[in-house]
Amino acid sequence: MSQRPKESADDPEHGRAGTERRQQLIRALVDMLPAAVAIRVTQRAPGLAWPTPFARAYDRHGRSLDMTRTQRICAARWIMRGFAELDWTEAHDLDLTTGTLRRAVDAIDHDGGE
């Protein structure tokens, strides 16, 4: 099985293309979920024993937004593919306003445990 090459800051062409792809990803997610400011992604959907891509979107007040099953799966897959180098056994939060992605545990710690 061949490994996908990792983007490198030393390779400006590859790094720039990766940044553009991630910006396109953010725009697509904002188009799909205009009220969302953050999306939490995990491989474990609630109530399922097997791994499956799952996403939840949150508004600027931290309230969970309604999403269809298709939106949940598509958003999760898009984000996982856009950040394929990460360990997806843990949940991650994507901030749609800044484009930053961090582990959900780190986001909770950073926000004072909320």
Side-chain angles (χ1 to χ4, degrees):
M1 177 170 26
S2 67
Q3 273 190 325
R4 193 173 114 179
K6 291 193 176 191
E7 294 173 15
S8 167
D10 298 333
D11 182 359
E13 287 303 313
H14 197 166
R16 197 172 340 183
T19 300
E20 286 179 23
R21 280 193 302 274
R22 288 182 179 171
Q23 289 172 349
Q24 289 173 344
L25 168 65
I26 300 292
R27 285 193 296 272
L29 291 166
V30 168
D31 285 346
M32 181 172 36
L33 302 161
V37 296
I39 298 178
R40 177 164 289 172
V41 179
T42 181
Q43 283 188 342
R44 294 280 179 195
L48 294 180
W50 56 89
T52 187
F54 185 79
R56 279 199 176 110
Y58 297 91
D59 68 11
R60 63 187 179 99
H61 301 290
R63 293 184 298 239
S64 182
L65 298 172
D66 289 333
M67 295 173 73
T68 66
R69 180 179 182 274
T70 302
Q71 287 174 322
R72 287 182 187 282
I73 293 171
C74 284
R77 284 182 180 164
W78 291 353
I79 294 168
M80 287 176 171
R81 287 178 184 156
F83 295 88
E85 70 279 3
L86 297 180
D87 174 13
W88 286 104
T89 57
E90 298 183 64
H92 286 76
D93 291 338
L94 176 61
D95 185 326
L96 298 176
T97 58
T98 65
T100 10
L101 183 79
R102 59 184 174 183
R103 293 181 328 151
V105 171
D106 294 340
I108 291 169
D109 289 344
H110 183 269
D111 295 337
E114 295 180 15

